[in-house]
Amino acid sequence: MNLTKEQIKSDYQKKLISLFAEDLEESSVLHQYIALAELVKEYSFERWMKTNKRYKKEGTKQIYYFSMEFLLGKLLENNLINLGIKEVVREALDDLGIRLEELENVEREAGLGNGGLGRLAACFLDSMAALSIAGHGNGIRYKYGLFKQKIRDGYQVEMPDDWLRHGYPWEIRRIDKSVIVKFGGYVYFTNENGRFTAKHEGYEEVLAVPYDVPIIGYGTETVNTLRLWSAEVKSRDFDFESFSAGEYTKAVEHKYSVESISQVLYPDDTTEKGKLLRLKQEYFFVSAGVQSIMRTFKKSGRSIYDFHKYVAIHINDTHPALAVAELMRILVDEEYLSWEDAWEITTKTMAYTNHTIMSEALEKWPVDMMKKLLPRIYTIIEEINRRFCQELMDRYNNDWNKVDRMAIISGGWVKMANLAIVGSHSVNGVSKLHTDILKYQELKDFHEYYPGKFNNKTNGITHRRWLIKANPELTNLISEAIGCDFLKNPRELINLEKYKDDKSFLDRLEKVKYNNKLKFADYMKKTQGIKIDPNSIFDVQAKRLHAYKRQLLNILHVINLYNEFLDNPNMDLLPHTFIFSAKAAPGYYLAKKIIKLINSVGEKINNDIRVNDRIKVVFAENYNVSLAEKLIPSAEVSEQISTASKEASGTGNMKFMMNGAITLGTLDGANVEIYEEVGDENIIIFGMTSEEVINYYKNGGYHSWDLYYQDRRLTRILNELDDGYFAPRGEFKEIFNHLLTYNDEFFVLKDFASYCDAHKKINELYKDRFRWNRMSLINIAHSGRFSSDNTILEYAKDIWFK
Ligand SMILES: *Cc1c(COP(=O)(O)O)cnc(C)c1O
């Protein structure tokens, strides 16, 4: 953008006045932030309008990314970078005596997601805009995002994330684009002019109000839209009668019940609870989204039979899978298409991404619940299922078991993954390994039936947030070395390779890392009062807490180091800081116990003067995008240690790699591709392979007690867990039982020895600073392959514009 410093200064001061009737002297930092955000948003408007006009005029196919979660993080700096005005704005503010960083600190991040899946959706939006692809988000404007985490006495405490408290300057409420979403009621069928017609009556109407957020493309004029829906009552639904009669609570009861739909994000993405409110949320944003897409499409005046040529809907995991039935409903009930035509259009419109093979995460809804809440949608799914099962019966000679496995409705359940697969023309996994597991194990039946539908799209991350924004020092160093092409095309990072044996360059790389470590240490001191030695190795595991991600393996190894060090204070051990950051789902008992264990072990080790800071354990509270942006650039070791076959892709692994950390990981998810990319000598791999894991599962697991008896280290650690060494006796009983009584479902003990060896290797490698920095550089150089720009280009080529 062509903006001068003087222009910005003048615009900014006017903005303060027009918003708050305040001048600079009187305004608070909060108001100064809001004014700046409003101004930056306004700067995007011209491009936004032009983009929309261009799409309309050129009839560009529109991609709609439907996702229950968008983990956006803060937007101010990102938008400044993407508009190309960060430096000039900083200078303008400097002149006015305002520090840009201070305003950025005031912003509350939009934490409308749990973890990887929601962050992926946010990275994809950023990439689609940067690549000038007409791709938009469709989701829910939760009033409360993912809870804020505090640690008290070592336990996780959850607090509401009131992110909208000061308003959200990046959105525009568009009441005129509201739609009605219908819940409940009953359905009957009649014959209308010779046409078999469904009638839906007696339903409740919920008003879906869209809030649009501009998604600003980097180095392009494109501005796309993230549309987030909020549930409201239609004004005439206010119970005025009760209100007049003085029954104020009753009068607002209905309002609260409706608003509850977009009230709060479910804080768990790994276990399926089958809750009614969740089903309401899913249908709410899907129906609102599809209706609004249809409305826009109809305005174009094009034939409804060409819908799929102008619209693609992408289903991010199964949460939006009802989009299949909702589009069928609109095409059949409102556009009067034949079932066959509607089905062809629908399947050509929809594409589905699978994110997990963990059975406890696979969504299914009780038939009775769906019938009651979404009677018309249920009858549509029934018909899709009836026709699909008929096809299967014909094809498989009435093989009832197979048909039952593949059916959408079975045993009183509606299976969302099956609906998504049957209703889409494309089904993709999120890493090579994950896609292979889908094709040859989990979704084998479907892959045999629809071999052409399955494809892989390895996840990616946007280098604009995870390198340019999060790590400006590294960005500058890289620019000096290889020029600025990588800013636009992250594949250019590969040119860094020519410095891999350049000692002086590697020293500078080390210095950048050291500065980032200092910054993170400073952050921990300020926020949690914890001192970290910047000369220790920063060994980081930051991600949601889940048994399969195996934070437990990490902390058991720390305990082992502690034990070994006390036995032999002369042991060969460089100073290490083990940094953990993770939220546990509030109802996930074991995960919360693991947080407590990490903190109890930390408490003991950090206060043991004998250890003398050779080992330190730190828990960084409230892992979110903003914290990730500070923590990841400081990391030297990236812990990616999930049980092989369990982590579909991971994206944290890519962020760490791009910032020069060395991956210590299993051959799981995208780690496999990182391994292929950097080569054996630039990554540390340990543990069982996914094949071995899957074979164990097929044969009923293994006997963890045997390991407990055989490996003296494990005997000691587990006894310490049990006997009150770290916390009063009984505190870690569940962990002990999980590992031994319940046979260690995620092979923590099984991989322990191999993991300890891997850490020894790290300790050894780190001593050779040249060697280590060389590894770090090679990781950065090869990280362009994991840019989400790359991923999005493949979605476009193979799925949306095929
Ligand atoms: C990237 C990211 C994740 C995903 O991390 P994984 O290690 O892939 O599970 C989760 N939370 C936040 C805040 C992230 O930025």
Side-chain angles (χ1 to χ4, degrees):
M1 283 193 88
N2 282 323
L3 279 167
T4 64
K5 189 170 80 173
E6 293 309 319
Q7 181 71 47
I8 292 168
K9 276 158 68 178
S10 149
D11 290 350
Y12 181 59
Q13 282 166 299
K14 281 188 202 146
K15 198 69 180 173
L16 260 177
I17 292 172
S18 71
L19 283 173
F20 303 114
E22 283 173 357
D23 59 21
L24 262 180
E25 289 86 90
E26 291 162 280
S27 58
S28 61
V29 180
L30 174 64
H31 280 184
Q32 289 170 2
Y33 158 69
I34 293 174
L36 182 61
E38 289 282 355
L39 181 63
V40 172
K41 178 175 68 177
E42 207 175 293
Y43 283 153
S44 77
F45 284 176
E46 198 180 313
R47 289 182 180 185
W48 202 5
M49 287 157 60
K50 272 195 190 148
T51 302
N52 286 326
K53 288 210 168 110
R54 178 164 55 83
Y55 290 158
K56 209 158 130 187
K57 186 159 147 261
E58 294 172 6
T60 320
K61 186 171 186 179
Q62 303 291 302
I63 315 303
Y64 296 96
Y65 197 80
F66 277 37
S67 179
M68 192 90 175
E69 305 188 1
F70 287 93
L71 189 45
L72 295 178
K74 295 187 182 189
L75 289 185
L76 176 59
E77 192 179 342
N78 211 248
N79 285 343
L80 289 172
I81 292 172
N82 287 1
L83 284 171
I85 57 173
K86 184 174 156 193
E87 287 320 312
V88 64
V89 165
R90 186 205 298 283
E91 287 164 19
L93 292 175
D94 273 347
D95 277 6
L96 299 173
I98 297 174
R99 280 187 52 242
L100 177 59
E101 282 69 27
E102 203 180 333
L103 300 196
E104 281 162 1
N105 285 337
V106 177
E107 178 168 3
R108 301 204 174 187
E109 73 165 74
L112 308 183
N114 273 282
L117 174 143
R119 185 52 232 173
L120 183 77
C123 283
F124 280 3
L125 292 181
D126 186 72
S127 285
M128 290 190 289
L131 296 165
S132 292
I133 289 174
H136 315 281
N138 186 70
I140 299 175
R141 182 181 181 268
Y142 300 104
K143 189 164 169 202
Y144 295 93
L146 187 62
F147 66 87
K148 277 200 206 154
Q149 179 195 56
K150 286 262 169 214
I151 302 296
R152 294 267 177 272
D153 302 327
Y155 298 100
Q156 166 174 299
V157 178
E158 301 97 22
M159 291 187 313
D161 167 40
D162 198 4
W163 70 293
L164 289 171
R165 155 136 322 189
H166 304 310
Y168 190 57
W170 301 109
E171 66 188 6
I172 296 185
R173 176 179 164 93
R174 295 201 192 277
I175 189 73
D176 59 326
K177 296 217 160 46
S178 303
V179 299
I180 299 285
V181 178
K182 299 170 182 175
F183 291 101
Y186 54 92
V187 171
Y188 62 92
F189 293 89
T190 64
N191 189 322
E192 250 179 26
N193 309 321
R195 188 187 152 89
F196 188 65
T197 306
K199 291 277 175 197
H200 184 192
E201 283 174 6
Y203 45 78
E204 181 195 356
E205 297 190 338
V206 170
L207 190 69
V209 180
Y211 287 74
D212 287 354
V213 180
I215 303 296
I216 300 166
Y218 177 80
T220 158
E221 304 261 300
T222 299
V223 177
N224 289 328
T225 303
L226 167 60
R227 177 158 284 182
L228 299 174
W229 297 94
S230 180
E232 296 185 11
V233 285
K234 291 164 58 199
S235 51
R236 65 179 151 91
D237 279 359
F238 181 68
D239 186 354
F240 202 77
E241 220 167 286
S242 303
F243 182 78
S244 301
E247 298 176 71
Y248 305 120
T249 318
K250 184 152 178 269
V252 292
E253 235 168 50
H254 175 65
K255 179 170 142 68
Y256 283 132
S257 133
V258 166
E259 288 173 356
S260 72
I261 295 172
S262 55
Q263 191 76 5
V264 55
L265 169 79
Y266 274 85
D268 188 356
D269 56 356
T270 47
T271 42
E272 167 50 29
K273 293 265 167 53
K275 286 271 193 341
L276 178 67
L277 181 60
R278 172 87 173 188
L279 182 57
K280 271 194 189 173
Q281 290 186 330
E282 291 183 359
Y283 184 63
F284 170 73
F285 89 96
V286 157
S287 175
V290 177
Q291 287 187 65
S292 126
I293 291 166
M294 184 57 78
R295 194 159 62 185
T296 308
F297 176 77
K298 299 269 289 185
K299 272 200 240 153
S300 76
R302 295 194 163 83
S303 159
I304 191 74
Y305 293 95
D306 289 335
F307 184 80
H308 57 279
K309 294 180 188 159
Y310 294 93
V311 172
I313 294 179
H314 205 93
I315 300 175
N316 190 29
D317 211 334
T318 57
H319 321 135
L322 290 174
V324 171
E326 178 67 1
L327 183 55
M328 284 299 286
R329 180 187 71 76
I330 294 173
L331 293 174
V332 172
D333 292 0
E334 295 178 6
E335 300 298 323
Y336 309 111
L337 263 59
S338 72
W339 182 275
E340 291 75 14
D341 288 341
W343 183 244
E344 189 178 336
I345 293 166
T346 298
T347 52
K348 284 181 171 170
T349 302
M350 302 291 164
Y352 157 60
T353 297
N354 174 288
H355 281 272
T356 180
I357 59 158
M358 303 233 302
S359 56
E360 64 268 37
L362 290 181
E363 282 196 300
K364 55 187 194 326
W365 297 104
V367 162
D368 291 336
M369 186 193 285
M370 194 179 279
K371 251 187 193 164
K372 208 165 156 204
L373 186 71
L374 308 169
R376 178 55 182 142
I377 290 300
Y378 181 73
T379 57
I380 288 170
I381 294 175
E382 239 179 353
E383 180 62 11
I384 296 172
N385 184 54
R386 190 187 65 77
R387 290 173 182 241
F388 178 56
C389 289
Q390 190 58 59
E391 279 174 34
L392 293 174
M393 298 286 261
D394 296 347
R395 161 91 175 257
Y396 294 117
N397 249 321
N398 300 328
D399 177 346
W400 277 93
N401 283 326
K402 200 182 193 85
V403 175
D404 186 58
R405 281 200 305 272
M406 296 174 74
I408 298 166
I409 303 173
S410 149
W413 299 94
V414 180
K415 298 186 193 165
M416 297 288 269
N418 300 27
L419 174 63
I421 295 166
V422 175
S424 301
H425 67 278
S426 164
V427 176
N428 75 279
V430 290
S431 71
K432 282 186 196 164
L433 176 67
H434 169 61
T435 302
D436 280 343
I437 294 174
L438 292 179
K439 279 157 71 169
Y440 305 113
Q441 318 255 350
E442 296 303 311
L443 301 179
K444 187 161 167 276
D445 294 328
F446 284 106
H447 179 240
E448 274 167 22
Y449 191 66
Y450 300 120
K453 264 194 200 186
F454 285 75
N455 63 92
N456 175 245
K457 296 286 165 282
T458 300
N459 282 167
I461 54 164
T462 169
H463 68 293
R464 287 165 290 273
R465 182 174 291 266
W466 297 109
L467 180 57
I468 303 174
K469 170 170 192 272
N471 204 338
E473 265 200 71
L474 180 57
T475 304
N476 285 338
L477 179 64
I478 298 171
S479 309
E480 265 185 54
I482 62 168
C484 291
D485 289 356
F486 77 97
L487 298 174
K488 190 75 187 148
N489 178 9
R491 284 270 186 164
E492 298 287 324
L493 284 169
I494 197 70
N495 295 323
L496 267 182
E497 271 226 314
K498 59 173 176 269
Y499 292 91
K500 68 183 180 205
D501 296 310
D502 181 331
K503 168 94 171 49
S504 79
F505 187 81
L506 292 177
D507 286 346
R508 291 178 71 193
L509 186 63
E510 181 178 325
K511 183 80 174 100
V512 168
K513 181 62 79 179
Y514 184 76
N515 288 341
N516 287 326
K517 288 166 77 178
L518 282 179
K519 276 190 219 157
F520 185 72
D522 187 52
Y523 171 83
M524 285 306 291
K525 184 89 203 32
K526 280 202 179 106
T527 54
Q528 289 176 234
I530 292 171
K531 251 183 76 189
I532 309 180
D533 172 9
N535 291 306
S536 63
I537 301 176
F538 280 24
D539 182 310
V540 183
Q541 187 171 18
K543 48 183 75 248
R544 282 302 287 265
L545 211 141
H546 196 286
Y548 85 81
K549 292 180 183 278
R550 298 200 296 191
Q551 282 91 352
L552 185 52
L553 176 58
N554 189 341
I555 197 68
L556 293 191
H557 167 259
V558 173
I559 296 173
N560 184 59
L561 269 190
Y562 179 53
N563 287 339
E564 286 185 349
F565 187 80
L566 292 187
D567 287 353
N568 173 18
N570 296 319
M571 79 183 275
D572 173 16
L573 178 66
L574 296 173
H576 273 72
T577 301
F578 294 96
I579 301 170
F580 292 82
S581 197
K583 287 177 185 173
Y588 190 173
Y589 191 79
L590 179 67
K592 291 177 126 177
K593 277 292 179 196
I594 293 170
I595 289 179
K596 172 64 177 166
L597 176 63
I598 293 166
N599 287 308
S600 299
V601 171
E603 176 85 14
K604 186 157 184 104
I605 296 180
N606 300 347
N607 292 310
D608 188 335
I609 49 164
R610 293 170 297 177
V611 177
N612 197 16
D613 281 353
R614 211 82 83 82
I615 312 170
K616 180 138 194 171
V617 180
V618 168
F619 194 100
E621 279 175 353
N622 198 38
Y623 190 54
N624 61 10
V625 173
S626 305
L627 175 53
E629 288 168 15
K630 297 182 184 75
L631 174 55
I632 293 172
S634 80
E636 295 173 296
V637 179
S638 161
E639 299 266 357
Q640 307 301 336
I641 60 178
S642 53
T643 310
S645 82
K646 294 290 178 182
E647 188 76 273
S649 163
T651 49
N653 46 4
M654 302 166 185
K655 299 169 196 164
F656 282 96
M657 175 194 190
M658 192 172 273
N659 284 279
I662 308 305
T663 304
L664 165 52
T666 49
L667 283 176
D668 197 16
N671 296 353
V672 177
E673 288 155 74
I674 294 178
Y675 174 81
E676 287 170 3
E677 191 60 47
V678 300
D680 195 48
E681 58 301 357
N682 297 302
I683 186 168
I684 292 140
I685 296 294
F686 75 97
M688 298 163 75
T689 63
S690 59
E691 258 185 328
E692 288 167 335
V693 168
I694 290 169
N695 275 329
Y696 266 107
Y697 283 130
K698 282 186 182 152
N699 298 312
Y702 80 110
H703 296 284
S704 54
W705 279 106
D706 296 347
L707 278 179
Y708 168 70
Y709 290 122
Q710 283 158 19
D711 188 329
R712 304 315 297 169
R713 296 171 297 185
L714 287 174
T715 322
R716 180 165 166 193
I717 295 167
L718 284 157
N719 288 347
E720 285 167 351
L721 278 194
D722 192 43
D723 70 9
Y725 189 60
F726 294 108
R729 240 197 125 122
E731 179 73 85
F732 303 123
K733 195 173 88 228
E734 279 76 20
I735 297 179
F736 186 91
N737 286 341
H738 172 81
L739 291 173
L740 292 171
T741 317
Y742 306 121
N743 248 337
D744 188 15
E745 185 184 348
F746 297 103
F747 302 93
V748 170
L749 305 187
K750 188 99 184 137
D751 273 346
F752 176 78
S754 163
Y755 184 60
C756 290
D757 292 345
H759 269 291
K760 287 213 179 75
K761 221 162 128 186
I762 296 251
N763 191 66
E764 211 40 52
L765 284 168
Y766 196 87
K767 291 180 199 159
D768 183 347
R769 305 304 296 131
F770 176 79
R771 172 84 197 281
W772 185 271
N773 296 332
R774 188 178 188 274
M775 290 170 72
S776 173
L777 178 125
I778 290 172
N779 271 272
I780 300 167
H782 286 261
S783 66
R785 146 95 194 274
F786 300 102
S787 135
S788 46
D789 291 6
N790 226 25
T791 314
I792 281 298
L793 287 173
E794 294 195 356
Y795 273 88
K797 169 169 67 72
D798 300 341
I799 301 175
W800 303 326
F801 296 100
K802 200 172 174 178

